[in-house]
Amino acid sequence: MPEYIEKYYTLKDLWKSVKKLPSDRKYLAGGTDLVISLSCGNDKSSVWLDISDIDRLKEIKEDGKNIFIGAAVKISELESNPLIKKWASALSECVKYYASPSIRNTATLGGNYANASPCADGVLALAALRAKVMLNLYDKRRVVDILSIVKGPKKIDLKKDELIEGFIVSKEERKSIFMKMMHRKRFGIAKAGLCMCYKLEKGKLRDVSISLSSVAPSVVRAKKTEEYLEGKNPSKAQTKACQLIREEISPLTDIRSTSDYRMRIVSVFLSRALCSI
Amino acid sequence: MKKKELSLDKDGKFDISFVLNAKELKVKISGDETLLELIRRLGYKGTKKGCDTGDCGSCTVIVNKKATLSCIIPAFLVDGCEVTTIEGIGSISNPHPIQEAFVEAGAVQCGYCVPGMIMSTKALLDENGSPSDEEIKHALDGNLCRCTGYVKQIEAVNIASKKIKK
Ligand SMILES: Cc1cc2nc3c(=O)[nH]c(=O)nc-3n(C[C@H](O)[C@H](O)[C@H](O)COP(=O)(O)OP(=O)(O)OC[C@H]3O[C@@H](n4cnc5c(N)ncnc54)[C@H](O)[C@@H]3O)c2cc1C
Ligand code: FES
Ligand code: FES
């Protein structure tokens, strides 16, 4: 149980005081993961730093080239925000499959990323969007590729106190398709998921990126399949692409699904995606 | 500076203040207390605990106009917020149109899920007075019911939406 909670409204205040706090400190955004860790006895930190109201972390804004989505943006906001719908529609689409409205009103995109679950829907969309993550440590920023610091469930290469400030998605006119197989329709943790972003020029696929969830220790990209699809006609490339994508993954069998079923689902998803283009 | 700090007092408790069903409250809470535990401790037992892990929706309340699962939100996060529970919606002698609609549609059997369903419906109808069946399904997605079979709730929300518009 945390002994106290510090609530912040600006990054400046956070960096001013954070180093003075006891070292077993932890950021808190929506709390949907943290509270469950606490009730399972897995969270032993003595201070929680509530960052959910830091203005910068709640921003969604654009400049000439990119859009910026703050880490404390709630999942429910991704559904209707016009900038996200226009430039990062994979994120708006993932909301349809993301838990229940009441979870979406609480959970944040930054928390979804920090949790680094192999089935995280927000991460699946960000990976297909080829987003970058902006990290901030004592007011020094670094920007890295979205999957480059994700190492496995709950394992993410962040330095002590390093804060996820937000995500950067470049403004590209790409379409997106999001698919997720769950135990219950439209609710719950993915048995497998696929997100694809692409352009279609004169009937040919361009600039394809495909991400997959729940088939590896973290969300992954299907790079060989992406390369194969470049410049191809979607329906003609279907058979080979579906075979390729199965060769790219080696999912586990666990309580949610079997390895074989996951392989099949991923290839069925890709085939449906290519048929729908 | 707007920063505020919630610190433990000598008994190991925090002080928070929030509005519960239109009443301003100042309460002492412990750091690991969830909003669900707090509101039930304060005597508002209409809000039910089903799973305690965010899966069933029976603990749904409204926090700052949004449907929220009270079992997975730490109580201190509602410091300064406005919270509504089923007791703030209507009573037996003076039911809310949504409550009447659930009874009329036969969407209540054992009743355990109903407070949560009604709170999700209230949040939906406050935002969108005439939802489509798809929008209703989307809004009630996280509310499980072991008894009724989910058709009657959709009917109930449609009836409620008409009653409220009258
Ligand atoms: C019932 C239920 C259903 C769910 N369904 C889904 C689903 O369908 N799809 C899905 O993808 N997920 C799902 N989740 C998982 C969960 O909602 C998400 O992972 C959520 O987005 C976490 O965000 P949060 O703001 O609640 O994180 P918190 O619980 O506040 O934080 C989680 C972790 O991230 C760290 N953290 C948070 N923000 C930052 C930051 N800005 N910088 C650095 N570290 C940070 C915290 O220290 C903590 O360790 C579900 C969870 C529940 C309880
Ligand atoms: S008790 Fe909160 S969702 Fe089940
Ligand atoms: S009426 Fe019994 S659980 Fe819904």
Side-chain angles (χ1 to χ4, degrees):
Chain A
M1 155 186 156
E3 279 166 26
Y4 66 99
I5 296 125
E6 286 264 359
K7 185 164 177 79
Y8 296 95
Y9 294 92
T10 65
L11 287 175
K12 206 169 145 205
D13 290 341
L14 171 69
W15 300 134
K16 217 189 295 170
S17 75
V18 73
K19 284 189 203 162
K20 295 177 210 144
L21 298 172
S23 67
D24 55 344
R25 50 193 181 240
K26 203 167 224 174
Y27 291 123
L28 166 83
T32 62
D33 284 323
L34 216 47
V35 172
I36 293 189
S37 304
L38 182 71
S39 43
C40 301
N42 296 335
D43 183 73
K44 305 274 184 243
S45 40
S46 73
V47 191
W48 280 359
L49 313 176
D50 179 357
I51 50 158
S52 61
D53 269 325
I54 294 183
D55 285 340
R56 166 68 177 161
L57 268 49
K58 293 195 287 183
E59 278 179 359
I60 302 176
K61 59 179 204 178
E62 64 179 328
D63 61 21
K65 278 195 187 150
N66 300 311
I67 64 166
F68 171 85
I69 308 160
V73 165
K74 306 270 187 212
I75 302 296
S76 52
E77 280 179 75
L78 302 174
E79 193 173 17
S80 51
N81 181 280
L83 281 178
I84 293 184
K85 274 167 92 170
K86 174 148 196 229
W87 298 112
S89 60
L91 278 171
S92 322
E93 269 170 50
C94 91
V95 179
K96 294 192 193 117
Y97 299 89
Y98 195 116
S100 58
S102 34
I103 295 266
R104 299 196 291 266
N105 286 335
T106 312
T108 65
L109 187 59
N112 191 248
Y113 179 70
N115 201 32
S117 156
C119 43
D121 294 320
V123 185
L124 182 63
L126 288 167
L129 287 164
R130 296 186 299 217
K132 295 197 183 312
V133 55
M134 183 186 281
L135 305 167
N136 188 329
L137 182 64
Y138 313 132
D139 216 20
K140 294 221 163 46
R141 294 189 167 86
R142 62 181 176 128
V143 174
V144 299
D145 282 341
I146 195 80
L147 295 179
S148 64
I149 57 167
V150 179
K151 301 295 172 203
K154 296 204 184 288
K155 281 195 206 120
I156 182 157
D157 258 346
L158 289 178
K159 302 194 178 97
K160 170 121 195 111
D161 290 337
E162 197 162 31
L163 179 77
I164 300 158
E165 186 166 328
F167 304 93
I168 298 168
V169 178
S170 70
K171 289 181 170 174
E172 292 168 10
E173 302 268 5
R174 293 200 298 162
K175 295 203 168 71
S176 58
I177 297 174
F178 191 99
M179 293 175 168
K180 174 176 168 187
M181 176 59 78
M182 294 159 280
H183 202 59
R184 264 165 54 204
K185 195 179 163 225
R186 299 215 319 248
F187 180 53
I189 293 167
K191 288 173 191 274
L194 176 144
C195 184
M196 174 169 165
C197 296
Y198 64 95
K199 279 185 198 153
L200 194 66
E201 286 171 4
K202 298 189 184 128
K204 302 263 160 54
L205 286 167
R206 298 275 173 218
D207 224 358
V208 183
S209 48
I210 300 173
S211 57
L212 302 171
S213 64
S214 301
V215 299
S218 60
V219 168
V220 287
R221 289 264 300 275
K223 295 228 167 141
K224 286 191 190 134
T225 312
E226 292 173 3
E227 266 168 42
Y228 170 73
L229 285 171
E230 200 59 41
K232 301 269 184 340
N233 170 297
S235 53
K236 285 189 189 145
Q238 196 183 321
T239 313
K240 178 84 196 290
C242 292
Q243 190 189 332
L244 256 182
I245 206 160
R246 287 176 68 142
E247 287 165 15
E248 275 200 77
I249 52 172
S250 48
L252 289 177
T253 293
D254 64 14
I255 48 163
R256 253 173 256 125
S257 193
T258 63
S259 169
D260 183 52
Y261 185 71
R262 288 185 156 123
M263 297 251 241
R264 283 165 200 249
I265 279 299
V266 164
S267 94
V268 168
F269 275 168
L270 183 61
S271 134
R272 284 185 194 160
L274 293 171
C275 280
S276 73
I277 294 173
Chain B
M1 194 168 63
K2 276 202 293 176
K3 192 188 102 177
K4 71 187 159 195
E5 185 185 305
L6 295 170
S7 304
L8 284 188
D9 65 14
K10 59 180 183 341
D11 309 318
K13 305 270 185 197
F14 298 102
D15 277 316
I16 62 162
S17 36
F18 69 112
V19 176
L20 181 60
N21 298 331
K23 239 195 275 165
E24 269 187 49
L25 290 182
K26 229 181 170 174
V27 286
K28 278 195 186 305
I29 58 158
S30 60
D32 57 354
E33 196 164 15
T34 63
L35 178 59
L36 174 63
E37 287 160 347
L38 171 65
I39 53 191
R40 288 186 60 90
R41 174 164 72 78
L42 294 173
Y44 296 87
K45 300 251 167 106
T47 307
K48 303 297 180 215
K49 182 201 255 193
C51 60
D52 217 16
T53 52
D55 291 298
C56 74
S58 66
C59 66
T60 309
V61 298
I62 296 178
V63 178
N64 290 350
K65 303 201 166 82
K66 300 272 184 200
T68 303
L69 298 178
S70 58
C71 72
I72 54 163
I73 127 160
F76 64 78
L77 275 188
V78 302
D79 186 39
C81 295
E82 213 170 291
V83 180
T84 311
T85 66
I86 188 72
E87 289 85 354
I89 299 283
S91 61
I92 294 176
S93 55
N94 187 18
H96 187 278
I98 300 175
Q99 291 171 309
E100 290 172 351
F102 268 69
V103 175
E104 281 169 32
V108 182
Q109 286 189 20
C110 82
Y112 203 82
C113 67
V114 173
M117 291 267 182
I118 290 186
M119 300 316 285
S120 292
T121 305
K122 176 82 169 63
L124 168 70
L125 294 180
D126 284 350
E127 206 175 289
N128 173 2
S130 323
S132 65
D133 283 1
E134 242 346 271
E135 286 166 330
I136 297 172
K137 284 186 202 165
H138 200 49
L140 296 185
D141 226 6
N143 293 90
L144 299 193
C145 174
R146 291 305 306 272
C147 307
T148 63
Y150 302 105
V151 175
K152 292 183 192 275
Q153 283 90 345
I154 299 170
E155 252 171 73
V157 181
N158 279 318
I159 297 174
S161 130
K162 287 192 194 105
K163 275 179 186 272
I164 292 169
K165 268 188 260 160
K166 264 189 206 160

